[in-house]
Amino acid sequence: MRAWQFNEVNEPFTLVEREDPKPGADEIVIDVKASGLCHSDVSFVDGTLTPLLGHKPIILGHETAGVISAVGPDVSEFAVGDRVGIPAVTEGPGTAVDGGFAEKVVVKANLVVRVPEEVDFSQAAPAMDAARTAYRALVTFGHVEAGQKVGVIGFGGLGSLGAQIARELGATVYVAEVNEKVWDAVNELGVGGVSKDIRDFADKGLDVIIDFAGFGTTTASAVDAIKHGGRIVQIGLAREEATISMQQVTLKEITIVGASNGEKSEAEEVLKLMAGGNIASKIVPITFEQIPEYVDKLAKGEVAGRAVAIL
């Protein structure tokens, strides 16, 4: 099989050929159909997150979906031909062991999830990280339910998925996004409103606000905008610190919680929602050969969407 190997910080990827992987007793081999590129891959390459890697050289790629081509003798829950994805975890492929920037990947069977027939591999791959993370913010920590009013701050890759998930759950969505160029895309979702500042919707009685931006000022705005007894979920990390009104937090009895990247069960749940056809990442399809080029483009901010290698 062919694979793109990461060797050392700030060094170019190397195209290598390896023997096709064989599954261990509790492992499966997946023929990769789609492999998503993530900003974490940029951080692995530039040294920011390199200490998290299990070893070097390594094959990166932690947003992977494909078809099982071999199973180990102790694996009973999956079979050859099953459509699966690998939720991103630090102990999984692309971080601890070789990942999905390859034609095949071997993984422990207990780490993978089934991909419904209705979900294309190009959508399933980034869902293993981005959509799962947005789902965790909205459902696990946001407790969003039908009939609620939900504020979404930031309409990037995660925020756009968050808005779609909230709408799919039956909530009315209000979006704060400073980039007016994406407002048309926001309005196409059928939202309750879009503005540059979530405080413009303070009179709507927002039950939950998800801050996908995390600029500090956005968190402070959420505190101002949320209704009495409301909930704010912090997921964006653009700034390490935020200055907020503790008077407002106390007098309005606000709950503020943080959310990270999610668990296997949340990947399964978001795939079920995606099977309905109303939740999708903005995909930039690329070829296997273009993976190094697009990791570089991602580092330069030149990718408008989720770059996904289609194999």
Side-chain angles (χ1 to χ4, degrees):
M1 71 169 191
R2 297 180 303 162
W4 287 107
Q5 181 174 282
F6 168 62
N7 300 293
E8 192 51 78
V9 172
N10 291 326
E11 289 187 3
F13 287 84
T14 303
L15 183 61
V16 297
E17 288 195 9
R18 294 187 177 179
E19 292 291 326
D20 288 355
K22 301 291 191 295
D26 60 349
E27 295 177 329
I28 61 175
V29 176
I30 299 170
D31 288 350
V32 178
K33 299 299 181 184
S35 187
L37 280 60
C38 176
H39 276 282
S40 295
D41 296 312
V42 173
S43 297
F44 292 142
V45 172
D46 70 15
T48 306
L49 294 179
T50 312
L52 295 180
L53 297 176
H55 56 83
K56 295 193 307 268
I58 191 172
I59 299 167
L60 298 179
H62 57 272
E63 299 181 355
T64 306
V67 176
I68 295 177
S69 58
V71 299
D74 292 346
V75 177
S76 58
E77 65 270 37
F78 294 101
V80 171
D82 286 351
R83 306 171 87 249
V84 294
I86 309 173
V89 289
T90 54
E91 69 271 24
T95 307
V97 295
D98 287 337
F101 290 172
E103 292 173 325
K104 293 176 181 287
V105 62
V106 62
V107 60
K108 290 189 178 297
N110 65 353
L111 294 181
V112 305
V113 297
R114 296 184 184 277
V115 174
E117 292 287 345
E118 298 87 350
V119 180
D120 190 82
F121 287 122
S122 65
Q123 289 291 335
M128 296 299 94
D129 193 357
R132 178 192 64 172
T133 300
Y135 179 92
R136 184 175 181 84
L138 267 292
V139 179
T140 306
F141 287 97
H143 303 165
V144 171
E145 298 177 349
Q148 289 186 328
K149 295 178 180 179
V150 176
V152 170
I153 302 176
F155 197 75
L158 286 180
S160 62
L161 286 165
Q164 293 174 65
I165 291 169
R167 184 200 57 187
E168 188 73 358
L169 293 170
T172 301
V173 182
Y174 296 86
V175 175
E177 171 55 59
V178 296
N179 182 8
E180 294 184 38
K181 293 180 180 179
V182 304
W183 282 14
D184 286 344
V186 175
N187 285 316
E188 286 174 5
L189 292 179
V191 298
V194 58
S195 177
K196 289 188 175 182
D197 194 321
I198 199 66
R199 288 177 293 194
D200 292 335
F201 304 116
D203 62 343
K204 301 298 182 181
L206 299 177
D207 298 283
V208 183
I209 296 176
I210 316 295
D211 183 5
F212 287 100
F215 279 94
T217 54
T218 53
T219 312
S221 295
V223 170
D224 290 340
I226 197 73
K227 76 174 190 180
H228 186 281
R231 174 178 290 262
I232 297 169
V233 181
Q234 187 64 45
I235 190 168
L237 293 173
R239 298 288 185 273
E240 183 178 356
E241 297 179 348
T243 300
I244 61 175
S245 168
M246 292 312 297
Q247 256 190 358
Q248 291 243 53
V249 171
T250 302
L251 295 175
K252 291 168 69 174
E253 299 181 314
I254 299 168
T255 298
I256 302 177
V257 296
S260 189
N261 69 342
E263 300 177 356
K264 175 180 174 180
S265 61
E266 291 159 328
E268 293 170 328
E269 291 302 319
V270 80
L271 285 171
K272 291 176 185 177
L273 283 180
M274 293 175 71
N278 297 321
I279 300 170
S281 295
K282 181 182 179 183
I283 296 300
V284 178
I286 65 174
T287 64
F288 172 80
E289 288 75 16
Q290 290 177 299
I291 287 175
E293 173 191 351
Y294 270 79
V295 170
D296 186 56
K297 285 180 178 289
L298 198 59
K300 296 175 181 176
E302 297 175 354
V303 183
R306 305 288 298 190
V308 179
I310 310 300
L311 282 73

